[in-house]
Amino acid sequence: MTLARDLAHPYPTVRVDDDAQEAARLLVRDRLPALLVLDQVECPYAIVPAAQLLGALVPEPDRLDPLLTLIADRLDDGARETLSGRSVADWLPRHRVTPGLVGPEDSPSEVAALMARKDCPVVAVIERDGGAVTLLGAITADVLLEHFIGGL
C-alpha cells in the first residue's frame, strides 16, 4: 500500500524572513507550483500557489477594476520595486494560506482530499515527535495524479 511518505519528494523552501525577490526567483527558476514557506523553527508556515503570489504584485486598483489594467500597464514597471526590500512574510497574501499538512502514514486519497479542500497543488508531509515537527518533503499535484492514473 502506498503512503504519503512514498510520494513525498524534497521540495525547495523559503523562510518567512527570506528576501521576497529571492523567493520569487526560486519560484521562476524551479518552476514551482507553490511557495512552501517555513517559520523560524523550520516548521511549515504557509503554502501559497504561485498565482496568489502573482496577485500580490498587481496594484490594488487593478485587482478591483480590470479595466485599469488595460489602460495603464503598471505591473511591468512596478513588480521588481514591489518586492524590493521586502521579506517573504511581507509578500504573502493578507489572508495567509495555512499549509496543507499530512503525516507519513496518510493515504494518497487523504492527500488528494486535502489538496482539493485547500485548492493548492502542494501539501507538506511532516512527522511529529512530541512538539517537534520535521518536514519530510512535499507532494505535488502532478505526482499525485501520476499515482492515480499512471504515467504517460
Side-chain angles (χ1 to χ4, degrees), residues 27 33-37 46-53 92-93 96-97 120-121:
L27 270 172
L35 194 62
L36 176 50
V37 183
I47 299 176
V48 189
Q52 285 185 17
L53 292 168
L92 295 178
R96 178 173 65 95
V97 180
C120 188

Side-chain angles (χ1 to χ4, degrees), residues 84-103:
S84 181
R86 295 177 73 190
S87 70
V88 169
D90 294 335
W91 184 27
L92 295 178
R94 283 184 228 181
H95 304 296
R96 178 173 65 95
V97 180
T98 56
L101 304 174
V102 297

Side-chain angles (χ1 to χ4, degrees), residues 54-72:
L54 186 59
L57 297 177
V58 177
E60 180 116 15
D62 292 3
R63 279 185 262 149
L64 299 175
D65 186 357
L67 277 177
L68 289 176
T69 306
L70 294 173
I71 296 168

